[in-house]
Amino acid sequence: MELIIDPAGSALTDANASIEAIRALGFVIAASIDGNRTLTPLEKVAMHPSVAPHSGYNKDSQTFLFKALHSWFRSNLTQSPFGISSCIGNGKRLSWLPIDTTTATKRGKIGTNGHLVSREFVKGNKIIIMTQVGKQMVARSSGTLEQAYIKIHRCQYSYFYLLSPLRSVSIEKCKNITVVLGPVEVAIMISGCENITVIAPCGRIVIGNSSLCTLNLLTPCRPLLLPGCEAISLGPYNTFYPKLEDHMKKVMIPATINLWDQPVMAGHDTHGESSSTWFLLPPTDFAQFIIPFEMEGKTTSIPFPLPSAYKKALDVKNKEYKQWLKSVNESTQDVEKKQSFQALVEQQFQEWLAETGHKKEIDAIVQHIDGKFKFDSKR
């Protein structure tokens, strides 16, 4: 705190601090005068008539006596009521997970402190924590998600569709999950993860101590790879949903620049580790990710033009698929043979779902489409 005192003071004990200095402290210290029900700028709390005698505020000189100010801080500083620990201890549980009575899988926990944060202080303070979600799907687009800090922790074999404009996202110690995000204003942080897929437009992305991860990105900043990364696959953004462009405008993420393929390696031996740390997704392995939920909106395609090699590979796959459908339709006019062929294809598809473990994902999608879990723009 010595950095904020007025250098004109003759000694630390009688030094003064200006209102501007206290206002600057407000960037790292939040304040409240009503029991943490709402936040108030730090300098206004320190100047409040009931607080001024303790904070050392002098109305005539409009400065604070440093000794009194320091004592006031020491007596009143507490853990942030809007932090992770407070959210876990005092947060409200969200019923976003289906109750699965067919398996003994432990149900994960999702909670938020959103009910404690006033509207004007949502940015940086509203938190949603998703922890220990296993073999389940979370699909949501809601006001509760908007401008929230999302923490996904110790989840595995699950799918997350969080399709709202978000403040920031942290994914920690997760395995075998797929995360599809709405536009993330500040940053996505990934740490201690294995075999996860993240699809998102974001201001920035940072990944460390993770392996076998696939990142499909739309970002104006170069991805930052910290030490401990191995086999990180980087690909261009490959999906869309109807409200995507509206959400991108809300968090000011442009669709005109994408530096997904220009990572920065921090703390690495860039001459010896780059080949094993990251690679660009081969165009032949690129595919569009389809979000299987209906929403209102005007976005009908990926908002950023795909690199030519990836667009060409996608066009080839689409052409092959259309040619296959045409060949099937023209192969026979016999109704019974067509029905038999369709039954064979469906049988093989079901077998593939069972072998790959995707059947539970399909079942969860069907639950959402049937209306058990709807996208809600108000909650």
Side-chain angles (χ1 to χ4, degrees):
M1 286 187 61
E2 288 80 357
L3 295 175
I4 70 170
I5 63 174
D6 187 343
S10 57
L12 192 60
T13 55
D14 60 359
N16 293 321
S18 66
I19 295 176
E20 289 74 17
I22 306 305
R23 184 178 294 118
L25 274 179
F27 284 102
V28 293
I29 300 176
S32 175
I33 56 175
D34 58 3
N36 296 328
R37 289 189 294 273
T38 60
L39 295 180
T40 304
L42 178 61
E43 72 277 9
K44 290 186 177 181
V45 173
M47 295 163 59
H48 193 273
S50 64
V51 177
H54 307 286
S55 65
Y57 178 63
N58 186 314
K59 188 175 181 180
D60 295 330
S61 64
Q62 294 192 339
T63 59
F64 296 83
L65 181 64
F66 180 79
K67 183 179 179 180
L69 181 68
H70 186 268
S71 177
W72 176 65
F73 270 122
R74 287 177 61 90
S75 301
N76 291 278
L77 273 178
T78 61
Q79 188 176 48
S80 171
F82 307 113
I84 296 293
S85 299
S86 178
C87 184
I88 293 173
N90 305 312
K92 176 182 178 182
R93 188 158 185 170
L94 298 173
S95 300
W96 288 1
L97 290 171
I99 300 176
D100 189 352
T101 59
T102 62
T103 68
T105 302
K106 184 178 179 181
R107 197 169 180 226
K109 298 177 182 178
I110 303 178
T112 182
N113 67 352
H115 61 295
L116 301 174
V117 183
S118 57
R119 185 180 297 273
E120 61 268 29
F121 293 106
V122 163
K123 281 191 174 183
N125 292 310
K126 182 166 69 170
I127 301 171
I128 297 176
I129 299 177
M130 305 181 184
T131 183
Q132 297 180 345
V133 177
K135 298 181 179 180
Q136 292 177 310
M137 175 182 290
V138 179
R140 209 76 182 177
S141 178
S142 68
T144 302
L145 277 175
E146 287 194 20
Q147 287 299 330
Y149 161 50
I150 308 295
K151 183 180 179 70
I152 302 175
H153 178 252
R154 291 190 181 278
C155 299
Q156 59 181 341
Y157 299 101
S158 296
Y159 300 84
F160 298 85
Y161 297 84
L162 308 177
L163 307 180
S164 293
L166 308 171
R167 176 66 174 175
S168 57
V169 176
S170 172
I171 306 173
E172 300 176 8
K173 299 180 180 179
C174 295
K175 293 184 179 181
N176 304 301
I177 67 171
T178 296
V179 183
V180 185
L181 300 171
V184 181
E185 182 177 4
V186 179
I188 300 172
M189 302 287 294
I190 302 172
S191 176
C193 294
E194 180 182 344
N195 194 32
I196 73 169
T197 296
V198 177
I199 303 172
C202 57
R204 179 182 296 276
I205 188 165
V206 180
I207 180 170
N209 194 29
S210 301
S211 62
L212 301 172
C213 298
T214 299
L215 311 178
N216 290 96
L217 305 172
L218 172 57
T219 176
C221 296
R222 300 169 67 184
L224 180 60
L225 275 60
L226 302 179
C229 289
E230 184 178 356
I232 306 300
S233 173
L234 300 174
Y237 188 65
N238 63 340
T239 192
F240 69 91
Y241 59 95
K243 292 185 178 180
L244 175 60
E245 289 174 289
D246 289 338
H247 289 172
M248 290 176 64
K249 289 178 182 178
K250 284 186 177 182
V251 297
M252 295 183 290
I253 292 181
T256 55
I257 182 170
N258 192 4
L259 303 183
W260 65 275
D261 58 346
Q262 302 177 38
V264 175
M265 297 176 62
H268 293 267
D269 176 4
T270 57
H271 297 289
E273 295 184 7
S274 59
S275 60
S276 63
T277 300
W278 67 274
F279 61 92
L280 297 183
L281 180 72
T284 52
D285 294 340
F286 180 76
Q288 183 173 332
F289 187 94
I290 304 299
I291 295 176
F293 305 109
E294 292 185 358
M295 300 172 64
E296 295 181 357
K298 63 181 182 180
T299 302
T300 57
S301 62
I302 299 172
F304 184 81
L306 290 173
S308 58
Y310 291 88
K311 184 179 185 305
K312 184 177 179 180
L314 197 59
D315 290 343
V316 168
K317 289 183 179 180
N318 290 334
K319 184 177 179 180
E320 290 176 348
Y321 172 69
K322 291 178 181 179
Q323 184 61 43
W324 181 81
L325 285 179
K326 182 179 179 182
S327 299
V328 170
N329 291 330
E330 294 177 350
S331 61
T332 179
Q333 299 298 321
D334 189 296
V335 176
E336 290 186 1
K337 288 184 177 180
K338 278 189 175 182
Q339 291 176 345
S340 177
F341 179 77
Q342 289 175 351
L344 178 62
V345 170
E346 183 174 349
Q347 178 186 347
Q348 292 185 350
F349 178 64
Q350 292 294 335
E351 291 175 356
W352 176 82
L353 287 177
E355 291 173 357
T356 58
H358 290 308
K359 188 176 188 306
K360 193 170 183 68
E361 178 189 5
I362 298 297
D363 291 342
I365 290 173
V366 171
Q367 281 187 317
H368 284 75
I369 293 175
D370 285 346
K372 293 183 180 180
F373 303 95
K374 295 181 180 179
F375 285 103
D376 184 352
S377 61
K378 296 180 181 180
R379 297 181 62 187

